[in-house]
Structure formats: structure tokens, C-alpha cells
């Protein structure tokens, strides 16, 4: 059974940085994509970024491109989301999720493409 555990959230001032971690386990092969999503109060869950484990392809939402960076440590089975230049509108609960099919999902940042989810870690950007 695939399990995903997020960590690294917290309170940060505007302009600050945080690094989120997603510890993944239970995969039976290397064919999966890990995505980062977020959900702010009263809003729908939205895709932030994803990385394909087999090919290393990375995708970003327009709202975070140039500020967020997704990366992976295959030895540790961990995916990271480095978030820089944070803004109040980045405030949300951040989730990682896994799509366990070969290749990148056709809609890479659509939550409906993902099969397994972590419980989330909250990020608050406020002065």
C-alpha cells in the first residue's frame, strides 16, 4: 500500500521560504508521479507542481513558476517542494499525492489523476 507523509509546513513571513517534504513508501515499481497540491480555506484543491519518477519531468502551476522548485531524493524516497518568495496567497494546506501509472498523467496537475494522498501540512504566510 502506498503511503505518503508530508512535513515541513509552518508559519513564515511574506518573502520567506519553506521546504516541504513528502516521504513516500509502498511503491512496487518506479512508474509513478508525485504531485504537490494545495487547498486554501473555501477554495478548491489546486495543483502546484509534480515530478515523474521515471523520467524526471517537472511541471509547475503558473502561479508558482519561478518561485517553487520540486525535486526528489530517490535514495530516500522523498520528494521536496522548495518554496521561495512566499506570498500570503500561498497560504493553504499542502498535500502530496501519487499517480501510480507509467508516464506523466495527461492532466499533470489535476487532483483527479492521482490515486494516493497524504494528510497534508499547513503553510501560513503572514506578517
Amino acid at each position: 500500500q502506498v503511503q505518503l507523509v508530508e512535513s515541513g509546513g509552518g508559519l513564515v513571513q511574506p518573502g520567506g521560504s519553506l521546504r516541504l517534504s513528502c516521504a513516500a513508501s509502498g511503491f512496487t515499481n518506479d512508474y509513478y508521479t508525485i504531485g504537490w497540491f494545495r487547498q486554501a480555506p473555501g477554495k478548491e484543491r489546486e495543483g502546484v507542481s509534480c515530478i515523474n519518477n521515471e523520467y524526471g519531468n517537472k511541471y509547475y502551476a503558473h502561479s508558482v513558476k519561478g518561485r517553487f522548485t520540486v525535486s526528489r531524493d530517490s535514495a530516500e524516497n522523498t520528494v521536496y517542494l522548495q518554496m521561495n518568495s512566499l506570498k500570503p496567497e500561498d497560504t493553504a494546506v499542502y498535500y502530496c499525492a501519487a499517480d501510480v501509472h507509467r508516464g506523466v498523467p495527461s492532466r499533470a496537475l489535476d487532483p483527479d489523476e492521482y490515486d494516493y494522498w497524504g494528510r497534508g501540512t499547513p503553510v501560513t504566510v503572514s506578517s
Side-chain angles (χ1 to χ4, degrees):
Q1 181 76 0
V2 173
Q3 292 189 326
L4 304 166
V5 180
E6 306 94 336
S7 61
L11 173 65
V12 63
Q13 292 187 343
S17 299
L18 278 177
R19 188 178 79 159
L20 305 183
S21 300
C22 174
S25 63
F27 295 110
T28 57
N29 54 49
D30 291 334
Y31 307 140
Y32 57 90
T33 298
I34 300 291
W36 283 100
F37 298 82
R38 66 187 182 186
Q39 188 165 19
K43 295 190 176 181
E44 292 188 355
R45 191 168 297 188
E46 64 171 347
V48 175
S49 181
C50 70
I51 182 168
N52 177 258
N53 184 67
E54 183 181 10
Y55 300 111
N57 309 54
K58 301 176 183 181
Y59 296 83
Y60 296 95
H62 178 75
S63 58
V64 306
K65 207 165 190 177
R67 300 188 298 123
F68 291 11
T69 303
V70 65
S71 63
R72 58 182 173 167
D73 183 332
S74 297
E76 296 290 332
N77 287 328
T78 300
V79 171
Y80 301 99
L81 185 68
Q82 178 67 43
M83 307 188 295
N84 299 329
S85 303
L86 283 161
K87 305 175 181 180
E89 50 264 43
D90 295 318
T91 295
V93 177
Y94 283 71
Y95 301 87
C96 65
D99 170 60
V100 293
H101 301 90
R102 193 165 193 179
V104 180
S106 57
R107 299 181 302 275
L109 297 180
D110 185 342
D112 291 340
E113 295 279 2
Y114 289 77
D115 308 295
Y116 298 94
W117 291 81
R119 292 188 174 184
T121 185
V123 171
T124 302
V125 184
S126 174
S127 54

